[in-house]
């Protein structure tokens, strides 16, 4: 709570019994970034501005879960139905709803790096840095939830294994041309088959 306040944010305990009253007193909000898709996150549409072009972005799309459960065609259809239902309910109050998906983008990463260098973005709190060989331990810690910061996997210190080169093919010195090498040739032709002549019946 204190760390969030030190960053300039307003800390709200989502386990508090009056958490909805706290959000209502701090609202209305123009942008909601939903990372968990809980009942409280879905209720948070009610603390957004009305007809102010506000947007609710959810990082938890049901697409993977629905496609695993119903298959690709019906899973995509189920996701589309849920999206349009949520969007229509938001649109009635002049709001927008959208799912967001992650994708690798070098330009965005470089921009974030520039923001950090220019102190426009504060570096988040890091709970612990694990080495690459400690990945299972870091994963177990992550599954416990309620981490108090980011868990970092450091792969920079891991040595790169040496490249194993295959030995060159064996060769012999040619007796016909000194100073040159010749590779022995193996004849893979099958031996000839000597068939017995068939008897002649008069």
């Amino acid at each position: 709570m204190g760390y969030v306040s030190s960053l300039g944010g307003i800390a709200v305990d989502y386990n508090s019994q009056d958490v909805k009253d706290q959000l209502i007193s701090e609202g209305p909000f123009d942008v909601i970034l939903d990372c968990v898709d809980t009942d409280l996150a879905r209720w948070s549409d009610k603390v957004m501005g009305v007809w102010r072009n506000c947007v609710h972005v959810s990082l938890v799309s049901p697409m993977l879960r629905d496609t695993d459960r119903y298959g690709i065609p019906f899973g995509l259809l189920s996701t589309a139905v849920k999206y349009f239902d949520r969007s229509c309910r938001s649109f009635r109050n002049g709001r927008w709803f959208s799912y967001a998906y992650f994708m690798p983008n070098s330009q965005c990463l470089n921009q974030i790096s520039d923001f950090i260098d220019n102190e426009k973005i504060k570096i988040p709190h890091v709970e612990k840095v694990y080495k690459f060989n400690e990945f299972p331990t870091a994963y177990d810690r992550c599954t416990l939830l309620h981490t108090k910061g980011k868990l970092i996997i450091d792969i920079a210190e891991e040595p790169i294994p040496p490249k194993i080169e295959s030995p060159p093919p064996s060769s012999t010195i040619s007796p016909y041309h000194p100073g040159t090498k010749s590779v022995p040739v193996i004849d893979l032709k099958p031996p000839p088959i000597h068939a017995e002549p068939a008897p002649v019946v008069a």
Side-chain angles (χ1 to χ4, degrees):
M1 301 286 285
Y3 177 72
V4 174
S5 301
S6 66
L7 296 176
I10 300 174
V12 176
D13 185 2
Y14 62 89
N15 290 321
S16 176
Q17 295 182 355
D18 60 342
V19 59
K20 294 183 179 180
D21 295 334
Q22 296 181 43
L23 293 175
I24 292 174
S25 63
E26 297 293 344
F29 301 97
D30 294 329
V31 178
I32 293 180
L33 181 61
D34 176 13
C35 304
V36 289
D37 191 30
T38 60
D39 293 337
L40 180 62
R42 289 186 288 270
W43 173 88
S44 63
D45 286 347
K46 298 181 180 180
V47 293
M48 298 175 65
V50 178
W51 292 104
R52 287 171 47 178
N53 205 27
C54 301
V55 59
H56 184 139
V57 180
S58 176
L59 301 180
V60 187
S61 169
M63 183 176 65
L64 293 179
R65 182 176 63 251
D66 288 353
T67 52
D68 288 342
R69 183 176 182 181
Y70 304 113
I72 294 179
F74 293 103
L76 294 177
L77 180 61
S78 174
T79 302
V81 170
K82 294 177 181 178
Y83 169 73
F84 283 113
D85 176 65
R86 186 81 178 269
S87 298
C88 291
R89 285 188 281 114
S90 297
F91 184 74
R92 287 198 299 264
N93 295 315
R95 304 164 180 157
W96 299 96
F97 175 81
S98 177
Y99 290 119
Y101 298 91
F102 289 100
M103 64 176 296
N105 191 313
S106 59
Q107 294 181 353
C108 291
L109 292 176
N110 291 332
Q111 185 178 19
I112 293 175
S113 179
D114 293 338
F115 286 161
I116 294 176
D117 294 338
N118 297 326
E119 297 183 353
K120 294 182 179 180
I121 295 180
K122 294 185 178 180
I123 299 177
H125 175 68
V126 177
E127 179 178 300
K128 187 175 181 180
V129 178
Y130 294 88
K131 295 183 179 180
F132 186 75
N133 58 2
E134 298 176 328
F135 185 88
T137 305
Y139 181 81
D140 293 339
R141 177 66 184 92
C142 185
T143 56
L144 297 177
L145 304 179
H146 301 290
T147 57
K148 297 181 180 180
K150 301 298 182 181
L151 304 179
I152 307 298
I153 305 296
D154 186 6
I155 62 175
E157 297 182 357
E158 294 298 321
I160 301 177
K163 182 179 180 181
I164 301 177
E165 298 182 356
S166 57
S170 59
S171 59
T172 58
I173 303 299
S174 174
Y176 305 102
H177 301 281
T180 62
K181 295 182 179 181
S182 62
V183 179
V185 178
I186 301 176
D187 189 3
L188 300 179
K189 294 181 180 180
I193 300 176
H194 301 283
E196 297 293 335
V200 178
V201 179

